[in-house]
Amino acid sequence: MSKIKQYDVIVIGSGPGGEGAVIKCAKEGYHVAIVEKYHRVGGGCTHWGTIPSKSLRHAVQRLVAFKNNPLFEGAVSQLNIQYPELLKSAEGVISKQSKMRKGFYERNQIDMIAGHARFIDKNTIEIQQSNGARERYQAQSFVIATGSRPYRPSNIDFSHPRIHDSDTILNLQQTPKSITIYGAGVIGSEYASIFRGLDVKVNLINTRDRLLSFLDDEVSDALSYHLREQGMVIRHNEIYESVEANDENVVIRLKSGKQIQTEFFLFANGRSGNSQNIGLEDIELEMNNRGQIEINENYQTSIPHIYAVGDIVGYPSLASAAYDQGRFAATHIIHGECEYSLVEHIPTGIYTSPEISSVGRTEAELTAEQVPYEVGHSFFKSLARAQITGHTVGMLKILFHRETLEILGIHCFGRDAAEIVHIGQAIMAQKGEANTLMYFINTTFNYPTMAEAYRVAALNGYNRVYGIS
């Protein structure tokens, strides 16, 4: 074995968390390296998660819009675009994203090490390359950013070609006639929308009593309504008893006694941290039962010079937050302290059809806390821009304090909700009296725009408080 190469910091994993950490360290003059076992950088976010699923969704939305446009009615009957062809649209985005990120590392003189990393001791890792060769590297500090993977119960045969998780569903070589999705969280609901957009018969099995129960009840109810209106079958409070596949279909038996037969099955109920086979047990680094690494407020693990960020630490398990976590961990490595932290209210972006996004507290939370709040609504069907584009399904909902007019929550349902929510987030983040409903009332918005929904909703809520009809 050759001489062990020394670094100031080694980052394991090139997803958003790893990228944020390694670039911050490099820009501060540290000698750094990033390790990636996959043949292209970008991590799960780029190759199996956010980028491919959202690219696929966009392609499906364009297809649906084309089919529903009366101008192309004559051409629709000749259109026969299949799921694998739509997946190809994602590959172009994935390649661009990966190439761009590789350029970041090269420009900042960051060494890229290909292979699987494993801790030998608290300051040494061994990299096994694809050809079997092994090299050892040492560093004063490490950042673990290995992400997460779909949870796979041991009593389901994921080797069968009709049974998939959210990673392997991207390799499906045909458009299903029917699919059952087990797990109605964010991933399950998003894929349910994607397949229903392809006219696939979808059974969505939810282990809880409502869809996405962390959302505001009104938004959750609206999502359920629209998914069912699209033809989806949703079953709440169900747990599987067994999942058995053969050459023709998959049979799902539920503990309630129900039995569902479907062409394909997608298990989308939970994720596990990618902490296996990297030697964490050998260095006695603390993890929980989901394979996630325990950290403190500075992203330090139980071994202070080893940090962890992103999905491997659990909540909030968002690519956007992971990048910031990486930067904050790197700041602590460099300066011994970090005055930054994730924003108090992290926005959710759920790419179902229609789209959902929210930030801040829900009505149920404010009611439980006995906060005197009021609601302002703006329904997309009344907005000129929505009428022009034809995307009239949806609403914007502002929750605000009745007495101070402080914005307490923003909840958006409909086209481009994940973009629209950030206007409200920006005002909510202002300190003191700057966080006020009056901003939306007194600000001139471009017309026609979807942003105008804020003015409409603000006036709706203000009039409700002061009894103005």
Side-chain angles (χ1 to χ4, degrees), residues 36-40 42-53 94 148 150 166-171 191 271 274:
E36 176 55 60
K37 67 176 182 179
Y38 191 57
H39 66 277
R40 292 190 293 181
C45 170
T46 300
H47 298 289
W48 307 283
T50 303
I51 297 301
S53 64
I94 292 169
S148 64
S166 58
D167 284 356
T168 64
I169 198 68
L170 296 169
N171 300 322
Y191 271 105
R271 297 183 68 82
N274 286 330

Side-chain angles (χ1 to χ4, degrees), residues 306-328:
I306 299 178
Y307 294 71
V309 298
D311 280 14
I312 191 67
V313 304
Y315 179 83
S317 295
L318 296 170
S320 52
Y323 188 87
D324 288 335
Q325 289 174 324
R327 289 192 302 112
F328 300 159

Side-chain angles (χ1 to χ4, degrees), residues 10-280:
I10 294 177
V11 176
I12 304 172
S14 66
E19 179 182 315
V22 79
I23 290 180
K24 173 66 174 176
C25 288
K27 288 187 179 297
E28 294 281 350
Y30 277 48
H31 183 37
V32 294
I34 191 161
V35 182
E36 176 55 60
K37 67 176 182 179
Y38 191 57
H39 66 277
R40 292 190 293 181
V41 299
C45 170
T46 300
H47 298 289
W48 307 283
T50 303
I51 297 301
S53 64
K54 277 51 176 181
S55 298
L56 175 62
R57 171 188 180 264
H58 179 68
V60 170
Q61 283 188 324
R62 293 176 67 187
L63 178 62
V64 170
F66 179 82
K67 287 182 175 180
N68 293 336
N69 192 323
L71 293 173
F72 307 119
E73 187 174 354
V76 168
S77 60
Q78 304 173 25
L79 196 65
N80 186 29
I81 298 176
Q82 299 296 306
Y83 179 77
E85 296 173 89
L86 293 169
L87 282 172
K88 290 179 182 177
S89 66
E91 180 55 38
V93 182
I94 292 169
S95 295
K96 289 176 182 177
Q97 287 284 309
S98 186
K99 183 178 180 182
M100 178 181 69
R101 283 172 165 73
K102 183 181 179 183
F104 293 161
Y105 301 144
E106 292 172 343
R107 188 162 63 248
N108 286 282
Q109 298 180 322
I110 297 167
D111 288 354
M112 289 176 282
I113 304 172
H116 179 84
R118 181 181 180 87
F119 279 92
I120 301 301
D121 59 45
K122 295 177 182 180
N123 288 94
T124 309
I125 59 171
E126 183 176 82
I127 307 296
Q128 181 174 348
Q129 301 170 5
S130 58
N131 62 5
R134 298 173 185 268
E135 295 286 344
R136 291 191 177 185
Y137 300 85
Q138 291 183 333
Q140 296 176 25
S141 299
F142 293 88
V143 179
I144 302 172
T146 49
S148 64
R149 66 191 184 281
Y151 169 65
R152 287 186 165 191
S154 58
N155 60 351
I156 297 179
D157 181 12
F158 286 91
S159 66
H160 196 284
R162 293 193 178 277
I163 297 178
H164 293 273
D165 61 25
S166 58
D167 284 356
T168 64
I169 198 68
L170 296 169
N171 300 322
L172 191 62
Q173 294 303 305
Q174 66 187 86
T175 302
K177 294 178 182 177
S178 63
I179 189 167
T180 294
I181 300 174
Y182 185 85
V186 173
I187 294 173
S189 296
E190 288 180 349
Y191 271 105
S193 288
I194 287 171
F195 282 110
R196 189 63 202 133
L198 293 172
D199 293 326
V200 177
K201 293 181 179 178
V202 176
N203 294 295
L204 182 59
I205 300 176
N206 186 17
T207 60
R208 301 184 179 184
D209 61 355
R210 63 187 301 120
L211 290 183
L212 304 174
S213 55
F214 59 88
L215 292 175
D216 188 86
D217 288 351
E218 189 174 4
V219 174
S220 175
D221 290 343
L223 177 64
S224 294
Y225 170 79
H226 285 285
L227 293 184
R228 284 193 169 104
E229 188 182 46
Q230 293 167 21
M232 196 179 301
V233 176
I234 304 173
R235 303 176 189 272
H236 295 297
N237 291 317
E238 298 282 8
I239 305 293
Y240 78 91
E241 181 77 38
S242 65
V243 178
E244 299 174 2
N246 55 44
D247 291 341
E248 297 180 353
N249 53 51
V250 183
V251 177
I252 302 100
R253 293 181 175 84
L254 303 176
K255 290 186 177 181
S256 65
K258 299 183 184 72
Q259 182 173 305
I260 301 171
Q261 183 172 296
T262 188
E263 190 178 16
F264 287 91
F265 177 77
L266 169 60
F267 188 90
N269 197 42
R271 297 183 68 82
S272 301
N274 286 330
S275 56
Q276 76 284 5
N277 302 322
I278 58 175
L280 301 187

Side-chain angles (χ1 to χ4, degrees), residues 57 61 355 357 380 391 412 414-421 450:
R57 171 188 180 264
Q61 283 188 324
E355 192 167 293
S357 193
F380 287 5
H391 300 302
C412 192
R415 184 79 170 203
D416 296 327
E419 301 283 353
I420 295 169
V421 76
M450 295 306 296

